[in-house]
Amino acid sequence: MHALETVAIAAAAVAAGGINAVVGSGTLITFPTLLAFGYPPVLANVSNTIGLVPGVMSAAYGYRAELKGQLPRLLKLGLASLLGGVAGAVLLLKLPADTFRSAVPVLILVACVLVLLQPRIQKWLTRRDDRGREDGGVSLWAGVLGTAVYGGYFGAAQGVLLMGLFGTFLRDDLQRLNAVKNVLASIVNGVAAAIFIAVTTVDWTVAGVIAVGSTVGGLLGARVGRRLSPAVLRGLIVTVGVIAAVGVML
């Protein structure tokens, strides 16, 4: 790896770690960077996923204050993330690389709409006497499972999808939900990375550079993200989500 290549990948990793902490679409920075330097798509995706694990974990740590009192929610949704992450990683290794490509932009844009409409949805749910369970019920669990399958396969904008689901099924502070998103993303990326390490080829130099950069970015992103108002955070989620959808379609 040449010096310029190392610097470019490291810079992309810092940016990806920060974006993952606040929104969740960092793969769309690091993955295209690796492709631009000639890395094969599957090798780039695998090495990128492994490298981003420390970053999402550092982001989850940065939001630890917002995680207080959410252990039951984390345990339930974490199981869905674990199972989905395993399934997604297996799909990456078994299916053609373009299998999910056509569905990805639609999923991201739907999530953006859900995030944008979150205040109205919450008001409507608040007015309902049968609002539902505080943990979101089976619908949220299934949605998190599906998002984890996608996240284990590719992972770009899985945070946007999760925040869209949370905004629809949960009534809670957006920063607390963002903290949960970071933990679930850590689980998905972590289990997928473990499978990739066990059964396929990894470029450890690339993974190492991304790991260092994404860790720095994750800590910085968490510090910035925790200070954002719900309206600004929601706007960032929608903006990055739309850019992600367009980037996947190009």
Side-chain angles (χ1 to χ4, degrees):
M1 184 183 292
H2 300 296
L4 178 61
E5 180 180 341
T6 302
V7 171
I9 294 174
V14 172
I19 289 177
N20 277 340
V22 179
V23 181
S25 195
T27 291
L28 288 178
I29 297 177
T30 47
F31 183 70
T33 301
L34 296 180
L35 294 182
F37 282 107
Y39 291 92
V42 174
L43 178 63
N45 195 17
V46 167
S47 303
N48 179 65
T49 297
I50 294 171
L52 287 178
V53 170
V56 291
M57 292 180 66
S58 67
Y61 176 78
Y63 273 86
R64 61 193 180 279
E66 285 75 15
L67 290 172
K68 292 181 180 178
Q70 299 200 75
L71 182 59
R73 177 183 290 171
L74 291 172
L75 290 176
K76 181 173 183 177
L77 298 182
L79 177 60
S81 295
L82 179 66
L83 296 175
V86 170
V90 172
L91 286 174
L92 177 66
L93 300 176
K94 296 295 184 180
L95 296 179
D98 292 334
T99 301
F100 286 166
R101 184 177 177 84
S102 60
V104 168
V106 176
L107 289 172
I108 296 173
L109 291 176
V110 168
C112 288
V113 171
L114 292 176
V115 171
L116 193 61
L117 295 178
Q118 181 188 10
R120 293 188 180 184
I121 293 173
Q122 287 188 335
K123 288 181 181 179
W124 175 72
L125 291 173
T126 301
R127 289 197 298 265
R128 289 181 56 192
D129 293 332
D130 58 340
R131 186 212 174 280
R133 296 159 55 175
E134 284 299 317
D135 61 1
V138 175
S139 297
L140 176 60
W141 196 91
V144 171
L145 176 66
T147 301
V149 172
Y150 165 69
Y153 184 87
F154 181 44
Q158 69 170 310
V160 176
L161 295 172
L162 285 172
M163 292 303 288
L165 287 168
F166 293 164
T168 302
F169 293 104
L170 296 175
R171 188 197 313 163
D172 205 341
D173 178 73
L174 200 63
Q175 296 288 9
R176 281 169 53 83
L177 297 180
N178 201 36
V180 174
K181 177 264 292 180
N182 286 333
V183 173
L184 298 187
S186 298
I187 293 173
V188 173
N189 282 24
V191 70
I195 292 174
F196 296 154
I197 291 171
V199 302
T200 193
T201 302
V202 178
D203 189 315
W204 287 107
T205 302
V206 168
V209 171
I210 293 177
V212 173
S214 67
T215 300
V216 174
L219 292 172
L220 293 175
R223 295 187 66 178
V224 173
R226 293 176 68 241
R227 294 188 175 96
L228 296 178
S229 69
V232 172
L233 182 56
R234 190 175 293 110
L236 277 175
I237 292 171
V238 173
T239 300
V240 173
V242 171
I243 293 173
V246 173
V248 172
M249 289 187 287
L250 294 178

